[in-house]
Amino acid sequence: YHAGEEALHVIICCVETPNAVLDVLSLAMKRSKVRAFGIVSDGHSRPCKLDEFIVDMIHSNHEVTTVGFHSVVLSNEEWKTICDAIRARDVGKTSTMELSQFHECFVDGISDEALKDILTSNAVWVSLGGNGMSSREAS
């Protein structure tokens, strides 16, 4: 697998992501220059190591400036791990996370703590559509 000179924009759309698929994708992502990464409707029932895969991709691709997820439902704790990776990656790096997008991604809605983790993950722009936030959480 070779990405060439240009950075990639990778969107995994409507593909199940069991661990065997994530293992193959992980190798390809480590060899690539990924600028933007997203998953839409992965359709895989948990548990799997999707959060570990995303964290590894963020750490191994220092040029990533955009991450987006739509209908990828993980626990609040798994999303916290991902936000921590974004925050840690931005410390001392030259590129900044420009966009973090989490649409319809939280079991039973986004928790106060997960919301705080996302909003303090150093992304310039955050999008949180369809996550069941109450007005109390948004304030």
Side-chain angles (χ1 to χ4, degrees), residues 37-39 48 78 107 113 122 128-129 131 138:
F37 175 78
I39 301 176
C48 76
E78 289 168 315
V107 178
E113 187 172 329
N122 297 333
L128 295 169
N131 284 306

Side-chain angles (χ1 to χ4, degrees), residues 63-126:
E63 298 299 317
V64 170
T65 59
T66 301
V67 291
F69 307 97
H70 190 286
S71 299
V72 177
V73 180
L74 296 174
S75 70
N76 283 289
E77 187 60 35
E78 289 168 315
W79 286 119
K80 177 183 179 2
T81 301
I82 293 165
C83 290
D84 288 347
I86 293 169
R87 189 179 303 106
R89 199 287 313 253
D90 282 345
V91 173
K93 303 292 183 213
T94 56
S95 66
T96 301
M97 191 64 70
E98 295 173 8
L99 172 64
S100 294
Q101 183 177 40
F102 305 89
H103 286 222
E104 299 175 15
C105 290
F106 295 87
V107 178
D108 298 325
I110 189 169
S111 71
D112 291 345
E113 187 172 329
L115 180 60
K116 179 184 168 212
D117 288 332
I118 290 170
L119 295 177
T120 60
S121 66
N122 297 333
V124 174
W125 181 265
V126 175

Side-chain angles (χ1 to χ4, degrees), residues 35-51:
R35 175 76 36 93
F37 175 78
I39 301 176
V40 177
S41 299
D42 72 329
H44 184 72
S45 60
R46 303 294 177 254
C48 76
K49 58 184 181 182
L50 183 59
D51 60 324

